[in-house]
Amino acid sequence: MAKIYVGTYAKYNNGSIFGEWLNAEDYSDKQEFIEACKELHKDEASPELMFQDYEEFPSVFYGESDIDSRLWDYLGLDEFDREIVAAWLSENVLCSKEDLQSIVDSFTGCYESWESYAEEVTYSSGDVPQHLEHYIDYEKMGRDMRICSSGYVEFEGEIWLFEG
């Protein structure tokens, strides 16, 4: 559950961390979320919102004084697509893939190692005669594939591949 702790700078500067955890998934977009934050702090005439903590979403969407509106695009993805985006964002700050769906669309697979990826590519390319199998060095092939690949991240102990 994607949550954000919402306080205000005025309260913080006066020694209070009063606020609440709000579930971002309860709101359809950033505007609706901000309205709920302002309602929470309606005791201030014009609250300057302070987002003091967050849970369960990539840090690229979080800022102490702002929440990126793309967070709600991220929350609209299914669980596996969220994991793909989280993997990409673990090593990239969106780069040229501004649209989250383009990150999902560019995902080509997840492998436990470069060696297992090399082996899968070899066998998906056609049959390898049994008498030649012991000549193939998947470890070295995987190393070369890593060197030549620009669209990958290492996430949670696995290799996640993305088209260039």
Side-chain angles (χ1 to χ4, degrees), residues 102-119:
S102 70
I103 295 171
V104 172
D105 293 344
S106 71
F107 177 69
T108 60
C110 179
Y111 302 89
E112 60 185 52
S113 67
W114 284 101
E115 185 175 340
S116 65
Y117 174 56
E119 187 170 354

Side-chain angles (χ1 to χ4, degrees), residues 15 19-20 29 33 57 62 68 74 80 88 91 150 152 157 159:
E20 284 186 24
D29 58 21
F33 173 74
F57 62 87
Y62 168 79
D68 191 316
Y74 171 80
F80 185 65
W88 174 261
E91 294 188 24
S150 61
Y152 74 90
I159 310 301

